[in-house]
Amino acid sequence: NAGVTQTPKFQVLKTGQSMTLQCAQDMNHEYMSWYRQDPGMGLRLIHYSVGAGITDQGEVPNGYNVSRSTTEDFPLRLLSAAPSQTSVYFCASSYSTGLAGVPGEQYFGPGTRLTVT
Amino acid sequence: KQEVTQIPAALSVPEGENLVLNCSFTDSAIYNLQWFRQDPGKGLTSLLLIQSSQREQTSGRLNASLDKSSGRSTLYIAASQPGDSATYLCAVRNYGGATNKLIFGTGTLLAVQP
């Protein structure tokens, strides 16, 4: 298994540009999430999905959109990039524990390092 | 509001030493706690997951314990090696609210000197 994969590894954008960060997992996990990691702020949840067709907001969703049309893919779209979105972005996936709404062990992708100038 | 704290923020030890990393959390109503390591410029690698009903989990030289009532977890690393150098993060998953959200500590940066 490849696990959780993310593309691109690095990206530089100008303010106002849009782009999509790709995330895919081959473990048939129901749950997928996007986090951003910033120095001194730790990891913060942007959006998450509990299955194909179902997404919801995390704690820092503004400026980002997601969709989940398949179990495997969970792309993150930056609508109009801002310097405040300079960060490292991680995608993660989890299996279902069988308890309603409770994911199990979380697996992370290698990250996308984004710089907005 | 759940807060997760890791002390110390940084630790340097000589190779071969046994060491303990600490994680504390303010709300004991958790489903599970997970320990990760993160190498510089890399993603997070899952080390151990402890369910709220468990007291400890072991994997190789790693042993993680959980005391939910006191809001503490420890990660014990036996016979440390230079390859163990990394940032270690703990994260908890709360009851209620957004159970999809893992709440992370800010990590302990470990350096194992050869």
Side-chain angles (χ1 to χ4, degrees):
Chain A
N1 285 354
V4 181
T5 58
Q6 292 183 240
T7 56
K9 285 189 169 53
F10 301 94
Q11 183 71 50
V12 179
L13 290 178
K14 292 189 189 315
T15 298
Q17 287 184 316
S18 63
M19 77 159 295
T20 299
L21 279 61
Q22 302 292 342
C23 173
Q25 52 92 8
D26 62 357
M27 297 174 282
N28 201 32
H29 284 172
E30 289 184 34
Y31 299 93
M32 296 187 75
S33 307
W34 277 102
Y35 291 84
R36 59 178 289 175
Q37 186 176 37
D38 303 288
M41 304 288 290
L43 281 125
R44 293 179 291 169
L45 182 66
I46 304 172
H47 285 285
Y48 64 93
S49 168
V50 301
I54 307 170
T55 64
D56 207 344
Q57 296 181 350
E59 59 184 306
V60 288
N62 291 343
Y64 307 95
N65 270 358
V66 292
S67 60
R68 186 137 176 237
S69 55
T70 67
T71 299
E72 295 78 20
D73 300 298
F74 190 42
L76 178 72
R77 282 182 289 278
L78 277 70
L79 308 173
S80 178
S84 61
Q85 294 179 304
T86 293
S87 186
V88 182
Y89 291 85
F90 290 104
C91 179
S93 73
S94 307
Y95 53 83
S96 172
T97 60
L99 291 174
V102 183
E105 189 171 2
Q106 192 148 79
Y107 297 87
F108 280 76
T112 294
R113 190 171 297 272
L114 175 69
T115 302
V116 183
T117 60
Chain B
K1 179 188 171 188
Q2 178 73 273
E3 291 181 3
V4 181
T5 305
Q6 291 185 249
I7 294 173
L11 181 64
S12 180
V13 300
E15 182 177 2
E17 198 162 286
N18 302 326
L19 60 100
V20 174
L21 306 179
N22 296 295
C23 172
S24 61
F25 47 96
T26 55
D27 184 350
S28 62
I30 63 170
Y31 279 114
N32 54 52
L33 183 146
Q34 196 167 352
W35 281 94
F36 298 89
R37 71 172 276 168
Q38 185 174 28
D39 295 286
K42 304 290 187 186
L44 281 71
T45 300
S46 178
L47 297 173
L48 289 162
L49 172 75
I50 311 179
Q51 302 292 351
S52 61
S53 58
Q54 296 175 317
R55 297 286 290 183
E56 65 179 279
Q57 281 281 8
T58 298
S59 176
R61 294 183 294 108
L62 305 180
N63 176 276
S65 68
L66 175 64
D67 184 342
K68 216 173 59 161
S69 61
S70 67
R72 288 188 297 183
S73 176
T74 60
L75 179 67
Y76 174 83
I77 303 177
S80 58
Q81 302 170 357
D84 294 329
S85 299
T87 297
Y88 289 80
L89 296 155
C90 68
V92 299
R93 195 180 298 280
N94 272 23
Y95 280 147
T99 55
N100 286 278
K101 178 181 173 180
L102 273 180
I103 301 166
F104 284 85
T106 49
T108 294
L109 176 61
L110 173 66
V112 180
Q113 308 299 333

